[in-house]
Amino acid sequence: LTGTSREQRAFQYLLAHAIPGDPHHILQTFDQWCYHCEHLSCVGPDKGRIVERVLLEQAPLRVLELGTYCGYGTVLLAQGLPPGARLYTIEGDPRHAAVAEKVIRLAGFSEQTVELIVGPSEEVIPRLREKHGLMNANLVFMDHWKRCYLRDLRLLESHQLLAEGATILADNVLFPGAPHFLQYAKTCGKYHCKVHRASLEY
């Protein structure tokens, strides 16, 4: 009725209630909106704790996120980066990317720390090294279309964009599910697999 999207309404709420430059408060305010106003398919606080734990354990210097959406996961990842690390995030929908860009900058992250790349992942991934300077990623967070998980993992492999010992963290592989990705990860012999049990966001 308002002519604005749910994502834009969430950003307006952030502008009114969140503390600029405080990533933790940005995420808390996002959570308040999603719990009490409108549901957004963000990572959310429960699964967010898994992401935070992985970041703390791995301290990755080069992180790739597939599926920026509103920027919730991007802010979550960026606030856990060690000094000097860089995050590359890819979003295929220009409207979502426009909201995410504002969220990321509101949280206080510069383009030197977080680079948002707009375009389909299958087109962006092959250009990451040449165009964006990503030699390889220590951590990849997949939270885009589940049907693209396997295709994009294979693209990362074929373009040698995974650092030795890299971690792939993939959301929602059981529901709504990414069965082909899961089967490949478990049977190809390249990965040690662990499933983290979590509730749906919000």
Side-chain angles (χ1 to χ4, degrees):
L1 292 175
T2 62
T4 60
S5 67
R6 277 190 303 174
E7 295 79 19
Q8 288 170 318
R9 290 194 291 273
F11 178 67
Q12 292 302 321
Y13 184 81
L14 283 184
L15 277 180
H17 297 92
I19 301 168
D22 185 337
H24 184 66
H25 197 258
I26 296 275
L27 296 176
Q28 278 187 326
T29 309
F30 244 129
D31 292 335
Q32 286 172 355
W33 171 266
C34 293
Y35 276 123
H36 303 296
C37 301
E38 294 180 278
H39 177 271
L40 294 173
S41 53
C42 304
V43 179
D46 293 339
K47 290 189 283 188
R49 281 187 280 275
I50 298 168
V51 177
E52 287 172 333
R53 191 170 71 241
V54 170
L55 284 166
L56 197 62
E57 290 169 358
Q58 309 271 336
L61 289 175
R62 295 171 305 281
V63 178
L64 175 63
E65 179 186 33
L66 302 178
T68 317
Y69 187 41
C70 291
Y72 183 107
T74 315
V75 171
L76 180 70
L77 289 164
Q79 75 168 354
L81 293 175
R86 188 163 169 77
L87 168 61
Y88 301 79
T89 182
I90 301 172
E91 174 53 50
D93 187 325
R95 294 164 301 176
H96 292 162
V99 173
E101 181 82 43
K102 290 184 276 194
V103 169
I104 293 161
R105 306 310 166 209
L106 184 68
F109 298 109
S110 70
E111 290 182 17
Q112 281 67 47
T113 303
V114 179
E115 181 177 348
L116 173 59
I117 305 163
V118 185
S121 55
E122 72 271 22
E123 294 177 14
V124 174
I125 289 170
R127 304 196 310 255
L128 279 172
R129 181 175 287 118
E130 187 182 306
K131 191 172 180 185
H132 301 281
L134 175 61
M135 300 312 291
N136 51 42
N138 308 110
L139 173 66
V140 178
F141 182 50
M142 293 186 168
D143 195 15
H144 56 327
W145 293 106
K146 312 313 158 206
R147 65 174 183 271
C148 301
Y149 279 18
L150 178 55
R151 180 201 67 196
D152 288 351
L153 177 60
R154 285 179 159 159
L155 271 176
L156 290 168
E157 290 174 349
S158 64
H159 287 86
Q160 298 177 320
L161 286 164
L162 298 175
E164 191 175 342
T167 297
I168 315 290
L169 196 55
D171 194 15
N172 300 122
V173 292
L174 299 180
F175 182 85
H180 299 300
F181 166 84
L182 213 51
Q183 183 184 18
Y184 176 76
K186 286 178 176 177
T187 61
C188 72
K190 301 174 188 175
Y191 304 100
H192 299 288
C193 291
K194 180 179 180 182
V195 176
H196 298 269
R197 300 285 172 178
S199 63
L200 287 174
E201 55 278 347
Y202 310 114

